């Protein structure tokens, strides 16, 4: 059995992707969620973590003078839990360059679009407005470019004529719950790494779009 991999999950809200990660834990998965940290004390995800017996911590960004001082305190907390991987699961903070560099190659995020398309917010409506035939979500390594890090895996679905931004969001959210635990497990198993020129899975470079799963 592979040694466990300590993962710290950062959240700001309901934590549905956190729940998917919790549900993926088991004796055959080296993933070990060592802590869940939120910048909001009222984040429902903290209750999900507590119900699963996972330590939680709240670090209110409003109590810090600036982003850099908050991020320094956040780094101290994360490293105190022995994190080998940091997972952003609805963490609604733009991270400083220093934070991103500190966790280079071991910081993952999920974004509700087929990157590099539709970085930022309101991705589902923007995909509809652009007349896209496909949409989906992407797990990527975080770099200093917002939503611009190398892609690990994407889940792709067709856009139908009956889709609205609301139901498209629901469909994509379901896919997020599938591919985020998959990517985190690959990392925990030592199969996934950020190489010098590309994301590597099992020692082989992945294409720019990562591994694609079509639905």
């Amino acid at each position: 059995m592979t040694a466990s991999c300590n993962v710290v999950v950062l959240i700001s809200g309901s934590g549905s992707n956190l729940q998917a990660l919790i549900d993926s834990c088991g004796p055959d998965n080296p993933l070990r969620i060592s802590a869940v940290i939120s910048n909001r004390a009222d984040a429902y995800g903290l209750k999900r973590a507590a119900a699963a017996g996972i330590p939680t911590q709240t670090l209110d960004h409003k109590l810090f003078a600036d982003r850099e001082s908050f991020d320094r305190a956040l780094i101290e907390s994360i490293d105190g839990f022995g994190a080998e991987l940091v997972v952003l699961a609805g963490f609604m903070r733009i991270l400083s360059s220093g934070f991103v560099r500190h966790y280079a190659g071991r910081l993952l995020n999920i974004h509700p679009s087929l990157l590099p398309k539709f970085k930022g917010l309101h991705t589902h409506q923007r995909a509809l407005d652009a007349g896209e035939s496909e949409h989906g979500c992407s797990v990527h390594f975080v770099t200093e470019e917002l939503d611009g890090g190398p892609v690990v895996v994407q889940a792709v679905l067709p856009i139908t004529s009956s889709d609205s931004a609301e139901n498209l969001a629901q469909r994509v959210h379901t896919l997020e719950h599938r591919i985020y635990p998959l990517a985190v497990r690959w990392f925990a198993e030592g199969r996934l790494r950020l190489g010098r020129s590309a994301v590597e899975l099992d020692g082989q470079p992945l294409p720019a779009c990562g591994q694609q799963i079509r639905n």
Side-chain angles (χ1 to χ4, degrees), residues 95-118:
L95 298 166
S96 65
S97 296
F99 185 97
V100 173
R101 287 195 298 267
H102 184 79
Y103 294 108
R106 51 196 187 104
L107 181 60
L108 288 176
N109 184 45
I110 191 160
H111 183 73
S113 79
L114 299 177
L115 293 173
K117 293 182 178 180
F118 309 120

Side-chain angles (χ1 to χ4, degrees), residues 43-59:
Y44 184 72
L46 293 172
K47 295 182 179 180
R48 296 180 188 269
I54 299 169
T56 64
Q57 187 173 12
T58 299
L59 201 61

Side-chain angles (χ1 to χ4, degrees), residues 11 21-22 28 72-73 156 159 168 195 202 212:
I11 65 168
L21 292 169
I22 292 171
D28 65 336
R72 285 194 296 270
V156 184
I159 294 177
L168 191 55
D202 296 328
Q212 284 203 332

